[in-house]
Amino acid sequence: RPSAIRSVAMSEAFRLSQDKRCESWITDEELCDFVAFVGPERQRVPFLRAPLATLSKPLRIALYGEFREGHTRELVLEDVTVDAFDVMMRTAYHLDPKLTPPRAITALKAAKLYMIEDLEKYCWDYLHDLEGLDGTLILQTLTESLKSSFDLPEDLQCTYWSNILSKSASVVQSPFFVETHGSVIAQLIKLDKFHVNEETLWNRLVEWAASAVQKPELLGP
């Protein structure tokens, strides 16, 4: 038994050292051989092109083909967010993509655009699971989908709202409640079966309103 435990510890230590080396492909600019200009602001992100080229045929053509990018070693991705590109890199470098609802939705849009089928499936699996359909993560997902104009499937939305109803108290007490999109808040307070103490709900709505004044993007249509 001690030898088995020692073997597991050695394997874990080796895995961590491998992850650390792979992380350096993202953090160490000296190892990078290409530059992406990401998002509308064209944020500069150095990267190693070979692993990224394995994600899909369109990326391989862009990075190794005869197009301008292959010669300039610069890739312009105005329709991809910085978070989405980070997920793409981490996927290519065999690292944890570190998904959150916002990262999953933006990465899903990028995966569809660049035909990265396994990443697209992974993001959908994450959005269907959300760590056991956690109330806070559901609010974050609904909010991000509205902010980024991303249509969630009706069956998934039904699953989310059913869980919101069953976890009413924890949803209202969620730290993210005050950051939730106004359309979600409006739909939430119309629910007949949303059983929450009225005073608690009122206090949280007042807090949400104060937050929305500072962040008008939460008001939404």
Side-chain angles (χ1 to χ4, degrees), residues 58-125:
L59 285 171
R60 185 185 185 93
I61 292 173
L63 295 170
Y64 282 95
E66 293 302 315
F67 296 106
R68 183 183 66 85
E69 291 89 347
H71 297 289
T72 62
R73 301 213 168 207
E74 295 179 349
L75 183 65
V76 177
L77 299 172
E78 292 185 348
D79 44 11
V80 175
T81 68
V82 173
D83 273 346
F85 190 63
D86 185 65
V87 171
M88 289 166 62
M89 285 194 297
R90 299 185 71 84
T91 300
Y93 302 160
H94 201 61
L95 292 165
D96 177 9
K98 295 185 176 181
L99 291 186
T100 61
R103 283 169 66 89
I105 288 176
T106 57
L108 182 54
K109 294 171 72 173
K112 282 177 172 289
L113 184 61
Y114 290 98
M115 302 171 61
I116 312 172
E117 294 179 1
D118 55 345
L119 178 57
E120 182 180 349
K121 181 180 183 304
Y122 184 74
C123 290
W124 278 124
D125 288 344

Side-chain angles (χ1 to χ4, degrees), residues 12-211:
E12 179 64 11
F14 183 67
R15 184 189 67 78
L16 290 174
S17 68
Q18 287 181 306
D19 286 350
K20 186 177 180 180
R21 281 194 292 271
C22 290
E23 285 279 359
S24 69
W25 295 348
I26 296 176
T27 59
D28 190 343
E29 190 168 337
E30 289 185 358
L31 300 177
C32 300
D33 57 4
F34 232 82
V35 174
F37 294 94
V38 184
E41 298 80 16
R42 293 198 174 192
Q43 182 170 328
R44 183 179 183 276
V45 182
F47 69 97
L48 189 63
R49 68 170 171 168
L52 205 72
T54 67
L55 288 179
S56 73
K57 187 173 181 179
L59 285 171
R60 185 185 185 93
I61 292 173
L63 295 170
Y64 282 95
E66 293 302 315
F67 296 106
R68 183 183 66 85
E69 291 89 347
H71 297 289
T72 62
R73 301 213 168 207
E74 295 179 349
L75 183 65
V76 177
L77 299 172
E78 292 185 348
D79 44 11
V80 175
T81 68
V82 173
D83 273 346
F85 190 63
D86 185 65
V87 171
M88 289 166 62
M89 285 194 297
R90 299 185 71 84
T91 300
Y93 302 160
H94 201 61
L95 292 165
D96 177 9
K98 295 185 176 181
L99 291 186
T100 61
R103 283 169 66 89
I105 288 176
T106 57
L108 182 54
K109 294 171 72 173
K112 282 177 172 289
L113 184 61
Y114 290 98
M115 302 171 61
I116 312 172
E117 294 179 1
D118 55 345
L119 178 57
E120 182 180 349
K121 181 180 183 304
Y122 184 74
C123 290
W124 278 124
D125 288 344
Y126 171 83
L127 293 175
H128 278 86
D129 179 67
L130 288 181
E131 298 180 19
L133 292 172
D134 174 80
T136 293
L137 296 181
I138 288 175
L139 292 179
Q140 290 178 346
T141 303
L142 291 172
T143 293
E144 183 61 31
S145 69
L146 289 163
K147 288 168 65 177
S148 60
S149 301
F150 182 79
D151 293 327
L152 294 168
E154 287 190 16
D155 61 331
L156 184 56
Q157 292 189 53
C158 287
T159 298
Y160 285 170
W161 284 104
S162 294
N163 275 267
I164 285 175
L165 284 174
S166 66
K167 303 170 182 176
S168 301
S170 63
V171 166
V172 169
Q173 294 294 351
S174 166
F176 189 77
F177 185 85
V178 297
E179 304 288 334
T180 301
H181 195 280
S183 296
V184 177
I185 296 293
Q187 188 170 345
L188 186 149
I189 61 180
K190 292 177 183 177
L191 295 173
D192 293 333
K193 298 180 181 179
F194 191 66
H195 300 303
V196 178
N197 177 275
E198 289 187 9
E199 183 178 356
T200 300
L201 178 58
W202 174 255
N203 289 336
R204 294 296 280 161
L205 288 174
V206 169
E207 293 177 34
W208 175 85
S211 175

